[in-house]
Amino acid sequence: MALLNGGANGMNTPTSSSDSVEQVTLCHICSDRATGNHYGAISCDGCKGFFRRSIRKEHNYKCRFNQNCNVDKTHRNACRACRLRRCMQAGMKAGAIQNERDVIGKRRKIESEGETSGQFLQSLLVSEKLCLQLRESVIKSTEQVVYDTGKIKYNTHPAHFATLNDVGTSIHQQLCILVEWAKSLIQFQELPLNDQAALLKACAAPLIVHGVAYRSLSTDGGVYLANEKILSTEEATLIGDINLVVSRIINELVIPMRELGYDSTDYVALKAIIFFNPYIIRPTNPTVASILKNARLLALKALKNQRPDDLDECRFGQLMLLLPAVHSIAQQLVEDVQLCHLFQLINVDDLMQELILNDGSKANKDTVPHAVIEKLKSPV
Amino acid sequence: MALLNGGANGMNTPTSSSDSVEQVTLCHICSDRATGNHYGAISCDGCKGFFRRSIRKEHNYKCRFNQNCNVDKTHRNACRACRLRRCMQAGMKAGAIQNERDVIGKRRKIESEGETSGQFLQSLLVSEKLCLQLRESVIKSTEQVVYDTGKIKYNTHPAHFATLNDVGTSIHQQLCILVEWAKSLIQFQELPLNDQAALLKACAAPLIVHGVAYRSLSTDGGVYLANEKILSTEEATLIGDINLVVSRIINELVIPMRELGYDSTDYVALKAIIFFNPYIIRPTNPTVASILKNARLLALKALKNQRPDDLDECRFGQLMLLLPAVHSIAQQLVEDVQLCHLFQLINVDDLMQELILNDGSKANKDTVPHAVIEKLKSPV
DNA sequence: TCAAATCGGTCAAAGGTCCC
DNA sequence: AGGGACCTTTGACCGATTTG
């Protein structure tokens, strides 16, 4: 059984010694017999279940040793922190963990008022899934046509190291997806056009940083750009101050996220919290502020209601502490991009200009963001 | 539950009509009530645990009698050798004993945990009170002597409108108080000197912004500087970009704080959360990171345990949302001060230079902050 | 249509905890 | 210094859903 094709995952299998007789595929985490591709990694049933339980529940594992425990079939239960780390390294994605299904014999949870925040969360998950699909096509379309007319691109490896040009490409792609994501949100649709544009402008950089960090949870020693390139800390040294941004993303976001067992639900909720910021823009009318406040409150509740059994670790608070880092790193990213733009190191199109480079704190608030408006108006 | 279905005979009917008498299965070793099939034998929890411990520790028991001791519920602890022999005879297999696993979360976690965060909160309130007293004297001493030798000062009104020079004075005063505040915290005292300096440097600007916002809760249309001057939005327009910082403090901090009923307890807790940031510096050793994490967790718990009856408004989350604004405004403040310094608009002494202007993100991380170190060493 | 692949859940039997 | 009552976690096994 288990005809493992390993198609989507282009990772090289380190089973060099298994060329003898039996063609059993081994678990990439513990080298037990694998039963298939689970959550993005070839793995056994044990590691599959372990990963699902770890993501679903709180599970703040802590390694009692040096973060490098041996993880094999006989020792995999000795250190859950290192086992989970290995799961991430092997390519398991928290985003692949679905929601709990309805079980006929089980009583449904009594939702007094949390139903609305739960519904909101569901809609966020749906929007995220749509954008994930969109990302595939955006990557392809922008790769050759829309953006970057200059350089020849090498895309032979599914995951290879990024160039400075890739950084620009990635930012551009993420901005495109970001606009579509926003447009898919009901609360966003209710806003006037200029408030929509202002909100996007104010939150674009933080949302990009947040997204990059989330995608990089399973990557070691680098960040995972939107265009499936890896920006390693070593490579990043070569291209200006970007390496500082990269290392900050890893130290201040990726590592804490891993410790907290950050999952897709956390991600979409925090994304909404970043986005629906009533104070970051000067709303045209009180209704706008009210919509934003309401949406943010729903997202807050949704995030808080994750892991209801969390009494000790104050997980919700720890998650909220990611926000200052997100904003601070975003600010630094903007400065770096501005610098790169100044020295003509990357291509900057109108969308990037309007959403990233136009500093909202400066006096040019009245400039109309034509490209953004255009994208907001277009159907898809 | 553990209804023993009897692995040997497959004729078991699921919970059928055997409810006439309680059909308890007995331990095959000691005839106590069995809890299931353990290690290959129907057995009780006692024999299960005994067998595991015996195999794990490689105990060599010796029977002092004739290898045929009675092993039942009351006598099973009389002879370990015979009990272990009976375990083997009943079918227990040493091979079923696995390796030791990772630790499980403590069962009792309610004790003293909430008390600690309460104690921590109390110590924070005490430190704050001390600093409030210190502020009085600092304002007086810096007013005429320590800082600002150039300009003539007007201090006829207890609260009057501030000049740009007052901004500099206020920042300087708050830095002095900040250092003393930090020194009064036990967790801070446990840190190495260079980590102390790094932490102060990284958090000085956000803490100042946070403090200014808190003091301005009762002021309308302006912010209340440390030196009892009011910086109004109208006045601030005159002196560069400071007006933007002032209006952001009001819009993004003061107004939300008012809506939330921000009080002194919230203030000291959030201040500690801002301060004990394990990711903002690169700690010299793991202990430092651990101290910071621990302190921040205590502060988080303290803040969360405010208003325990808050279910609807998610107050804790709303309070945490102040943090991104604090950091963002702080970053802008630093830029403005840097600009003012460049154009010689305000006086900058060593302390201010080291704590505010030296951008931690730049490469000059190795510069030793002499003035800070000096202040850290001095008794008061 | 249907079978492979992969998602979800279940629960006996491993584990560990901690009062006695 | 274990014993053992009580709790948590593991993973083999199964059904449900999706996909080509």
Side-chain angles (χ1 to χ4, degrees), chain B residues 66-310:
Chain B
N66 300 319
Q67 304 281 350
N68 60 352
C69 299
N70 184 20
V71 181
D72 60 20
K73 177 171 177 167
T74 51
H75 301 95
R76 64 192 177 197
N77 285 319
C79 178
R80 287 169 174 162
C82 284
R83 191 184 192 182
L84 184 56
R85 180 176 49 75
R86 291 269 304 185
C87 284
M88 302 288 201
Q89 284 173 357
M92 282 195 174
K93 300 276 182 274
I97 302 292
Q98 305 174 353
N99 289 320
E100 286 191 19
R101 289 185 182 175
D102 202 356
V103 289
I104 274 176
K106 305 290 178 199
R107 200 190 298 180
R108 287 265 68 86
K109 53 177 64 172
I110 309 160
E111 85 249 28
S112 77
E113 194 67 57
E115 192 146 23
T116 322
S117 77
Q119 288 170 350
F120 184 54
L121 191 61
Q122 285 307 312
S123 71
L124 289 176
L125 285 165
V126 168
S127 287
E128 197 56 36
K129 196 171 184 182
L130 289 175
C131 287
L132 211 65
Q133 295 167 354
L134 184 63
R135 190 157 71 103
E136 310 277 328
S137 53
V138 167
I139 288 174
K140 285 189 177 63
S141 68
T142 54
E143 188 81 358
Q144 305 289 346
V145 187
V146 179
Y147 180 75
D148 182 22
T149 56
K151 311 270 170 50
I152 301 169
K153 310 292 293 298
Y154 301 96
N155 200 16
T156 49
H157 305 87
H160 74 189
F161 294 125
T163 64
L164 188 51
N165 192 61
D166 286 323
V167 176
T169 310
S170 172
I171 290 176
H172 173 81
Q173 290 167 352
Q174 285 170 89
L175 290 178
C176 293
I177 299 164
L178 171 61
V179 175
E180 298 308 320
W181 170 79
K183 281 160 67 179
S184 75
L185 302 174
I186 308 166
Q187 286 86 352
F188 185 76
Q189 294 165 8
E190 293 174 358
L191 302 177
L193 204 59
N194 53 344
D195 286 318
Q196 287 186 343
L199 202 60
L200 280 171
K201 192 164 154 179
C203 296
L207 286 175
I208 284 180
V209 168
H210 181 231
V212 168
Y214 176 63
R215 278 195 302 279
S216 308
L217 281 179
S218 53
T219 311
D220 253 4
V223 298
Y224 198 82
L225 300 182
N227 53 356
E228 298 183 347
K229 306 290 167 52
I230 299 214
L231 189 61
S232 76
T233 45
E234 291 80 21
E235 292 286 322
T237 313
L238 303 175
I239 44 182
D241 277 349
I242 297 286
N243 65 325
L244 260 169
V245 170
V246 170
S247 68
R248 284 192 68 189
I249 287 175
I250 292 170
N251 288 327
E252 301 177 33
L253 296 177
V254 175
I255 289 175
M257 281 176 178
R258 279 182 194 146
E259 289 176 359
L260 291 164
Y262 204 70
D263 64 18
S264 61
T265 318
D266 300 323
Y267 174 67
V268 295
L270 211 55
K271 192 173 174 182
I273 291 170
I274 295 170
F275 188 56
F276 291 113
N277 188 336
Y279 299 105
I280 214 161
I281 64 172
R282 190 173 297 275
T284 46
N285 60 65
T287 314
V288 171
S290 164
I291 290 171
L292 294 177
K293 273 190 184 176
N294 223 327
R296 194 170 69 165
L297 187 58
L298 284 176
L300 274 178
K301 286 179 187 170
L303 187 66
K304 198 179 76 171
N305 291 334
Q306 294 266 92
R307 317 276 201 282
D309 57 338
D310 165 55

Side-chain angles (χ1 to χ4, degrees), chain A residues 148-153 165 345 347:
Chain A
D148 180 21
T149 55
K151 310 267 170 55
I152 300 170
K153 311 290 292 297
N165 191 60
L345 294 173
N347 295 328

Side-chain angles (χ1 to χ4, degrees), chain A residues 96-146:
Chain A
I97 304 287
Q98 302 175 353
N99 294 318
E100 292 186 33
R101 290 179 181 170
D102 270 351
V103 179
I104 297 173
K106 209 179 260 183
R107 61 176 71 251
R108 317 188 103 245
K109 284 179 272 184
I110 300 113
E111 312 258 352
S112 57
E113 55 84 30
E115 188 126 33
T116 38
S117 78
Q119 286 169 350
F120 184 53
L121 191 61
Q122 285 307 312
S123 72
L124 290 177
L125 285 165
V126 169
S127 288
E128 195 59 35
K129 197 171 182 181
L130 289 176
C131 287
L132 211 64
Q133 295 166 353
L134 183 64
R135 188 156 73 100
E136 312 276 329
S137 54
V138 167
I139 288 174
K140 286 191 179 62
S141 68
T142 54
E143 188 83 356
Q144 304 288 346
V145 187
V146 179

Side-chain angles (χ1 to χ4, degrees), chain A residues 63 109 217 233 239 248 289 319:
Chain A
C63 177
K109 284 179 272 184
L217 281 180
T233 45
I239 43 182
R248 283 193 69 190
L319 290 174

